[in-house]
Amino acid sequence: GAGVSQSPRYKVTKRGQDVALRCDPISGHVSLYWYRQALGQGPEFLTYFNYEAQQDKSGLPNDRFSAERPEGSISTLTIQRTEQRDSAMYRCASSAADNEQFFGPGTRLTVL
Amino acid sequence: DQQVKQNSPSLSVQEGRISILNCDYTNSMFDYFLWYKKYPAEGPTFLISISSIKDKNEDGRFTVFLNKSAKHLSLHIVPSQPGDSAVYFCAAKYTNAGKSTFGDGTTLTVKP
């Protein structure tokens, strides 16, 4: 079956622009997670959802970052007024059983 | 401060020999631990996990050992194969809570 998909795979934007990153989880997976990964580091937790409810957003670095999952399936991570320090790989994962997570290929964001 | 640490950024072993990857954690409340494997240009994929009620879990060539008193876990791969060459991430979480905390990874190279 299809795995977790993310789009776009690459995004280059200018400082100050807003970006929206999309995640399409594995069908039927209850939980969806967003992570950010810098080069040479492990994924860093941002936020996660059970169904459409945002359960934990403690990892979002500031109020420019937000996420939604309105129908309990596809999720969007939005970064407003992007800054160069936002450049990173953004990874989405989903899970059925709340422990093992299935990761997507990521969106590489570059802010110029 | 990092709650999950993988102190060896890289490891090189000969094909057929044992690979041992190590991971330390500081938060004694973590009770579920996972190893993920990542190939270039792909997202991490789940490899093996262990609950804190166990001290060993085995799956084919992969065995994870947990030493709760030392807050240390290790992944053993026996025998190592060239296809095992990848980045290995250790992760820790609370059972039935969403987010995982990842280490920075160890790059394993298995030489033919």
Side-chain angles (χ1 to χ4, degrees):
Chain A
V4 178
S5 62
Q6 293 186 245
S7 61
R9 293 291 307 274
Y10 302 91
K11 177 70 177 178
V12 180
T13 191
K14 292 184 178 179
R15 185 163 49 96
Q17 298 292 307
D18 298 351
V19 295
L21 312 181
R22 173 185 165 125
C23 173
D24 201 340
I26 293 172
S27 177
H29 275 192
V30 168
S31 302
L32 184 148
Y33 313 81
W34 284 100
Y35 292 87
R36 179 169 66 175
Q37 186 172 12
L39 201 61
Q41 296 182 12
E44 175 190 10
F45 172 79
L46 295 176
T47 184
Y48 95 98
F49 295 82
N50 280 343
Y51 300 101
E52 71 282 356
Q54 193 169 20
Q55 299 292 323
D56 183 351
K57 55 180 182 179
S58 62
L60 295 177
N62 52 61
D63 60 8
R64 294 186 299 106
F65 288 73
S66 63
E68 63 175 9
R69 193 186 185 198
E71 297 179 0
S73 180
I74 293 168
S75 177
T76 302
L77 176 69
T78 301
I79 309 173
Q80 296 180 309
R81 304 180 303 282
T82 52
E83 301 177 3
Q84 287 186 327
R85 59 178 172 157
D86 299 334
S87 296
M89 177 71 82
Y90 288 83
R91 296 199 185 276
C92 173
S94 68
S95 72
D98 219 15
N99 282 320
E100 172 191 342
Q101 297 174 13
F102 295 80
F103 281 83
T107 295
R108 170 71 67 186
L109 174 66
T110 302
V111 182
L112 302 176
Chain B
D1 63 329
Q2 262 192 310
Q3 296 190 64
V4 178
K5 293 183 181 179
Q6 295 176 255
N7 290 318
S8 297
S10 63
L11 175 67
S12 181
V13 300
Q14 205 68 35
E15 180 179 8
R17 307 294 292 268
I18 184 171
S19 295
I20 300 176
L21 296 97
N22 293 303
C23 178
D24 297 293
Y25 61 96
T26 58
N27 186 343
S28 58
M29 299 299 291
F30 287 140
D31 59 2
Y32 201 85
F33 305 89
L34 309 97
W35 285 94
Y36 288 83
K37 174 178 174 179
K38 184 188 170 310
Y39 292 119
E42 295 182 9
T45 56
F46 170 75
L47 189 57
I48 192 170
S49 62
I50 188 166
S51 164
S52 61
I53 62 174
K54 297 184 176 180
D55 54 18
K56 176 182 174 181
N57 188 27
E58 189 171 356
D59 184 1
R61 295 185 298 113
F62 302 91
T63 303
V64 55
F65 295 92
L66 175 63
N67 182 334
K68 289 188 293 292
S69 61
K71 297 195 189 68
H72 177 84
L73 63 156
S74 60
L75 174 68
H76 292 211
I77 307 174
V78 184
S80 301
Q81 300 174 353
D84 296 329
S85 297
V87 180
Y88 289 79
F89 291 101
C90 167
K93 68 190 303 288
Y94 312 119
T95 302
N96 297 327
K99 77 180 197 182
S100 290
T101 300
F102 285 80
D104 285 341
T106 296
T107 301
L108 174 65
T109 303
V110 181
K111 298 180 179 179

